[in-house]
Amino acid sequence: NDVFQGFHPLRERSRLISNYKEIVEQLKKLEGFRYFLEEPVISSDIEQASSTLDMLNGMKRKYKEGQIQIHDVSRDDLCAFQQLKFEFDVLHKKWQSIFEWQDGPLVKAMRGGDLFLVDEISLADDSVFERLNSVLEPKRTL
């Protein structure tokens, strides 16, 4: 059934750690971040990501409520902050997951409009045939 899609163990955790450190460094360079705290304290340890995320959410809330004057911070800087925070959220969710969804080769071929060759289809389980029926119909859906 891996022809279609499925959950697979999350790999490349070292890449997540590297991406986390990059985001932390980018955050520290933002003007808005420097105005928020005299001494920005963000751990570059991904295990501390939850507390960092809480701090970023607090910063965002205070900016929105006007508790922090942002006249010295450009709109581009605020947009960059929001984008980095979004990336941080996504990264944090990936770090907490054990499995991730991965499209199989058939789904990738369908999305790309590519051909998909199935060799020795007679060896497949009945469940594969049942799911392939919908792909072979005119609507071509899974």
Side-chain angles (χ1 to χ4, degrees), residues 6-62:
F7 285 102
H8 298 276
L10 186 64
R11 292 185 170 83
E12 300 183 28
R13 291 181 80 75
S14 60
R15 182 178 47 84
L16 294 177
I17 292 170
S18 170
N19 290 350
Y20 176 83
K21 289 179 180 180
E22 286 175 22
I23 291 173
V24 166
E25 290 308 311
Q26 290 174 16
L27 277 169
K28 288 180 179 180
K29 292 177 184 174
L30 293 176
E31 288 295 319
F33 188 76
R34 284 189 256 163
Y35 279 103
F36 184 76
L37 297 170
E38 291 174 11
E39 189 74 32
V41 181
I42 290 187
S43 172
S44 31
D45 179 7
I46 199 165
E47 296 292 335
Q48 304 299 318
S50 292
S51 60
T52 300
L53 194 55
D54 290 342
M55 182 181 68
L56 295 176
N57 286 328
M59 286 174 62
K60 184 178 176 183
R61 186 177 55 255
K62 287 182 180 184

Side-chain angles (χ1 to χ4, degrees), residues 108-125:
K108 289 178 183 175
M110 289 175 70
R111 286 196 175 147
D114 301 325
L115 295 176
F116 183 75
L117 174 65
V118 181
D119 192 21
E120 298 186 15
I121 190 73
S122 60
L123 300 175
D125 290 337

Side-chain angles (χ1 to χ4, degrees), residues 32-102:
F33 188 76
R34 284 189 256 163
Y35 279 103
F36 184 76
L37 297 170
E38 291 174 11
E39 189 74 32
V41 181
I42 290 187
S43 172
S44 31
D45 179 7
I46 199 165
E47 296 292 335
Q48 304 299 318
S50 292
S51 60
T52 300
L53 194 55
D54 290 342
M55 182 181 68
L56 295 176
N57 286 328
M59 286 174 62
K60 184 178 176 183
R61 186 177 55 255
K62 287 182 180 184
Y63 275 123
K64 282 187 173 184
E65 293 172 355
Q67 293 178 13
I68 298 172
Q69 298 300 319
I70 55 173
H71 60 277
D72 292 329
V73 181
S74 71
R75 191 168 274 301
D76 289 342
D77 214 33
L78 289 175
C79 288
F81 173 79
Q82 289 180 342
Q83 179 62 36
L84 286 172
K85 189 196 163 303
F86 174 77
E87 291 173 19
F88 195 93
D89 282 333
V90 170
L91 188 70
H92 184 246
K93 286 176 185 167
K94 280 185 179 179
W95 178 256
Q96 290 181 317
S97 356
I98 298 171
F99 296 96
E100 68 181 343
W101 183 262
Q102 290 181 346

